[in-house]
Amino acid sequence: MIARIWEGRTKIEHLAAYTAFMKERAIPDYSKTDGFIKLTFLKRTDADYAYFKLITFWENMEMIKNFAGNDFEKAKYYPEDKNYLTDFPESVIHYEVFAD
C-alpha cells in the first residue's frame, strides 16, 4: 500500500468553504478511482490560516497514476482551488506503508 501526502493552506475565512468543497467534490473524486483504499484529511488553524494535510492510500503506484496521471509526483488541483488556497505546492510525497 502507498500513502500519497499533500499539504495546503487557506486563509482562515475560507476554512468552512474549502472543507465543504473537499467533502463534496474532491473526496468523492478520490473515492471513485480504481486502486483507492481510503483517506485521512487533517486540518489545524492559527489566527490567520487553516493548514491541511491530505493522506490518501492506494493499492500501489500504478493505481495512483489512475488518479494523478503519469507525472504522479505532481500535485493535482481542481479549478475551484484557486478560490481557496494561498499557495500551490508543486509536488506530493509518497511513502510505502509497511504497517497499518
Side-chain angles (χ1 to χ4, degrees):
M1 181 167 47
I2 305 295
R4 177 181 169 92
I5 303 170
W6 170 86
E7 296 183 12
R9 171 176 84 160
T10 67
K11 291 183 179 178
I12 197 71
E13 59 264 26
H14 295 144
L15 172 61
Y18 187 65
T19 301
F21 164 72
M22 291 301 288
K23 288 180 179 178
E24 295 166 8
R25 175 91 192 310
I27 291 172
D29 192 31
Y30 283 97
S31 299
K32 70 180 182 188
T33 304
D34 288 341
F36 172 83
I37 297 172
K38 64 180 180 176
L39 64 79
T40 300
F41 207 177
L42 309 170
K43 66 181 176 182
R44 68 178 177 85
T45 60
D46 61 23
D48 300 313
Y49 295 99
Y51 303 88
F52 296 91
K53 185 173 286 199
L54 175 60
I55 307 169
T56 54
F57 297 88
W58 303 85
E59 291 177 14
N60 56 48
M61 279 298 197
E62 288 303 312
M63 296 293 112
I64 291 173
K65 291 178 184 178
N66 290 335
F67 176 76
N70 286 331
D71 192 4
F72 60 89
E73 291 186 343
K74 185 176 179 181
K76 179 179 176 178
Y77 292 100
Y78 297 92
E80 297 90 340
D81 285 331
K82 69 182 181 304
N83 299 325
Y84 309 111
L85 296 175
T86 59
D87 47 66
F88 293 83
E90 292 184 22
S91 61
V92 298
I93 298 172
H94 296 95
Y95 287 89
E96 181 178 345
V97 178
F98 66 91
D100 187 23

